[in-house]
Amino acid sequence: MQRIMIIGSPGSGKSTLARTLGERLDLPVFYMDKEIHWLPGWVARPEEEKPSIVARIVANEKWVFEGSHSKTYQLRAARADVLIWLDVPISLRLYRIVWRAVRDRGHVRSDMHEDCPERLDMLPEFIRFILRTRRSTRQKQQALFDEAMCPKFRLTTLGSVRTFLGSL
């Protein structure tokens, strides 16, 4: 495993798994929100800039790249030698998102761009986004998973994540 692509919906544990895999396998870790999506101050990067940044990252020989920006799935999947889909229940994801927002309020998480601190005032809209897009996002992830030609893992519970990590 030299190039690991991790997908999953918000709150599924992508960043935590990516960080853990990076540490265990001595691989550089790239976070979609930090490297691609957000600029300082919660400004969204223009869509037309994202593919070239993703292409530069995946051109590297080693990486763990987490994130679910579906417009770049094919760029990342073409170079990945392992695909991991964190397909955990929405109840767990929503719990994690709320807990993370409260826990990290006012602080910048390691998987976020500088000057993007957790803000409680953004939480209601983020939850609405998750609820509004949950079916279409899952369909895109399922399609990518089904089409992937590399070894792939669909992890649906915390136990399956622990078992996967234990197998490394």
Side-chain angles (χ1 to χ4, degrees):
M1 285 192 276
Q2 298 294 301
R3 293 180 302 279
I4 304 168
M5 179 179 175
I6 302 173
I7 61 170
S9 296
S12 61
K14 298 179 303 293
S15 298
T16 301
L17 180 59
R19 192 169 27 259
T20 301
L21 289 171
E23 290 168 1
R24 286 192 184 185
L25 302 174
D26 194 30
L27 297 172
V29 178
F30 298 94
Y31 303 99
M32 185 63 68
D33 283 341
K34 185 175 187 175
E35 265 76 46
I36 311 300
H37 189 68
W38 294 110
L39 295 168
W42 291 106
V43 174
R45 182 183 303 280
E47 282 297 319
E48 62 273 10
E49 293 178 12
K50 294 176 182 181
S52 63
I53 299 168
V54 170
R56 273 183 291 189
I57 291 171
V58 299
N60 292 308
E61 286 304 310
K62 297 180 179 186
W63 43 263
V64 177
F65 199 163
E66 67 83 41
S68 289
H69 187 250
S70 62
K71 291 179 182 174
T72 65
Y73 276 174
Q74 296 311 315
L75 277 171
R76 293 181 284 150
R79 290 273 299 148
D81 58 20
V82 173
L83 172 65
I84 301 171
W85 177 20
L86 293 175
D87 187 23
V88 300
I90 192 166
S91 56
L92 175 61
R93 295 188 298 111
L94 290 172
Y95 170 79
R96 286 176 170 172
I97 287 163
V98 171
W99 177 76
R100 176 176 72 194
V102 171
R103 178 195 68 197
D104 296 336
R105 183 174 49 117
H107 301 294
V108 177
R109 297 188 333 259
S110 63
D111 59 326
M112 288 300 299
H113 202 292
E114 62 191 53
D115 194 32
C116 291
E118 282 294 315
R119 294 174 35 191
L120 292 178
D121 64 322
M122 294 174 73
L123 189 57
E125 178 54 32
F126 191 39
I127 290 171
R128 281 191 292 276
F129 167 78
I130 291 166
L131 295 173
R132 186 174 61 248
T133 62
R134 73 180 183 266
R135 286 183 183 86
S136 62
T137 297
R138 190 168 187 289
Q139 288 171 348
K140 291 173 187 173
Q141 292 169 353
Q142 181 74 60
L144 174 68
F145 189 80
D146 291 346
E147 295 167 9
M149 300 305 288
C150 63
K152 52 192 174 182
F153 302 88
R154 179 176 168 248
L155 307 177
T156 60
T157 64
L158 296 174
S160 65
V161 172
R162 282 192 289 274
T163 299
F164 173 78
L165 288 171
S167 73
L168 298 178

